[in-house]
C-alpha cells in the first residue's frame, strides 16, 4: 500500500502562482510515476502533468509553459509549480502515484478568482 499526502492548494487571483506538494509513503518502488490530475465541477478528471522516476515529464497542452512538475526521489515527493493561473485552472487537484496500480491522494482545492 501507498499513502499520499497533498498540500499547497488555496485561493489565488488570476495571474498568480501556487505550489502543490505530494509526499508518498509506504511500499514505494524505485521505478514509478508520480504526478497530478485535476477535476473541475461537472467535468471528468484530466491529466495535468506526470513525471517518471527516470526524469521524463509529460504535460497537458493547457498547462504547458505555465506549470512545472518536479520530484525529489529522496523524499518520494512530487511538486507542481503553477504560474500565470487562470480561472479555468480552478479544480480539485489529485496527486497520483503509479507502479503496478494507481494510488490517489485525497485532493487539494485550487481556486483562481478575483
Amino acid at each position: 500500500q501507498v499513502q499520499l499526502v497533498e498540500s499547497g492548494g488555496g485561493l489565488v487571483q488570476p495571474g498568480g502562482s501556487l505550489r502543490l506538494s505530494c509526499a508518498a509513503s509506504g511500499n514505494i518502488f524505485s521505478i514509478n510515476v508520480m504526478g497530478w490530475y485535476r477535476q473541475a465541477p461537472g467535468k471528468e478528471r484530466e491529466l495535468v502533468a506526470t513525471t517518471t522516476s527516470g526524469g521524463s515529464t509529460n504535460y497537458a497542452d493547457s498547462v504547458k509553459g505555465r506549470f512545472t512538475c518536479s520530484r525529489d526521489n529522496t523524499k518520494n515527493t512530487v511538486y507542481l509549480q503553477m504560474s500565470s493561473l487562470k480561472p479555468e485552472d480552478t479544480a480539485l487537484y489529485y496527486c497520483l502515484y503509479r507502479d503496478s496500480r494507481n494510488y490517489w491522494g485525497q485532493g487539494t482545492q485550487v481556486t483562481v478568482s478575483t
Side-chain angles (χ1 to χ4, degrees), residues 4 6 9 25 32 39 44 50 54 56 58 60 64 67 80 96:
L4 300 171
E6 300 152 336
S25 62
N32 60 65
Q39 188 168 17
E44 294 190 352
T50 58
S56 298
N58 179 49
K64 284 180 180 176
F67 291 10
L80 186 68
L96 166 72

Side-chain angles (χ1 to χ4, degrees), residues 30-50:
S30 58
I31 299 174
N32 60 65
V33 176
M34 294 187 74
W36 299 89
Y37 278 65
R38 67 187 181 186
Q39 188 168 17
K43 295 186 177 181
E44 294 190 352
R45 192 174 297 189
E46 64 176 8
L47 168 74
V48 178
T50 58

